[in-house]
Amino acid sequence: MDKVERNKQARLSPHFTLGEMTKTSYHTKDGNIPPRMAIENLKRLCQEWLEDLRCSYNTLYCLEPGDDYASSKRVEPVIINSAYRSEEVNEKCGGSRTSNHLTGCAVDIRSLGPEQMIRYASILLDIADGTKRVYDELLLEKRGTTYWIHFAVRPKDNRRRISFDMR
């Protein structure tokens, strides 16, 4: 196993790896490998937000009363469509030139439909309110029959922006 492959298997948090935060279907010369600062941003996003999202969603909607989250086999993963994007990947996918994905500060979370998307958004807002953490963007998006949440957290200058794009 080469160094790049080992790095992709590196854990950013208990349930999220660098590999899933950098996966892309676009073949690029740069390999979509993030710089150290982007990895730190991804790590913060995973540890401070995505782990809590996963735990809260499973506790509220997947476990039977009395089930233990830590040992249950019934928990659902939070599935990432896109997180870090190199400039080359961002350009190929039509991303904004100022996208939070470029710095590892954004993640697109797959939703099975509108109900799950709304539940994810509610949990993320509850996390923000309960912990007094700030986020930059919470965008609920749809293209055709595909639903996802774009969620971004910057190291500073977060705007708490909420938006809907249901094309």
Side-chain angles (χ1 to χ4, degrees):
M1 182 181 331
D2 65 13
K3 184 178 179 182
V4 171
E5 192 57 37
R6 276 195 313 274
N7 286 342
K8 287 189 175 204
Q9 291 180 3
R11 293 228 164 257
L12 300 173
S13 70
H15 296 100
F16 298 94
T17 65
L18 183 59
E20 72 186 300
M21 295 294 159
T22 59
K23 72 180 177 196
T24 179
S25 58
Y26 298 97
H27 299 286
T28 60
K29 292 176 186 165
D30 65 17
N32 201 42
I33 298 171
R36 183 177 305 263
M37 184 54 70
I39 294 171
E40 291 305 312
N41 290 336
L42 290 167
K43 191 179 290 188
R44 184 178 56 255
L45 193 58
C46 292
Q47 291 174 357
E48 295 180 9
W49 294 92
L50 297 181
E51 288 293 339
D52 287 350
L53 172 64
R54 185 178 193 272
C55 179
S56 294
Y57 181 83
N58 281 297
T59 300
L60 291 168
Y61 303 110
C62 297
L63 301 180
E64 297 293 326
D67 281 355
D68 176 51
Y69 173 77
S71 63
S72 179
K73 292 184 167 76
R74 301 192 50 206
V75 296
E76 294 290 325
V78 170
I79 299 173
I80 307 305
N81 286 337
S82 177
Y84 172 76
R85 294 182 194 153
S86 66
E87 287 184 22
E88 188 177 0
V89 169
N90 196 58
E91 185 177 321
K92 285 186 174 194
C93 75
S96 164
R97 290 185 359 205
T98 60
S99 173
N100 280 314
H101 287 283
L102 293 165
T103 57
C105 292
V107 63
D108 291 342
I109 305 166
R110 180 171 49 192
S111 297
L112 298 176
E115 184 177 324
Q116 187 179 51
M117 181 175 64
I118 291 167
R119 286 179 172 178
Y120 278 171
S122 296
I123 291 168
L124 289 167
L125 290 171
D126 286 345
I127 292 168
D129 292 343
T131 63
K132 305 297 185 221
R133 291 185 213 138
V134 292
Y135 61 90
D136 189 51
E137 299 173 315
L138 175 62
L139 313 177
L140 287 80
E141 301 187 80
K142 173 185 180 265
R143 298 289 181 283
T145 59
T146 303
Y147 294 84
W148 72 94
I149 288 179
H150 168 89
F151 186 70
V153 179
R154 297 176 180 176
K156 61 180 184 171
D157 300 326
N158 289 288
R159 302 169 289 177
R160 263 187 93 103
R161 179 177 163 233
I162 298 175
S163 182
F164 299 85
D165 186 353
M166 302 288 152
R167 295 182 219 177

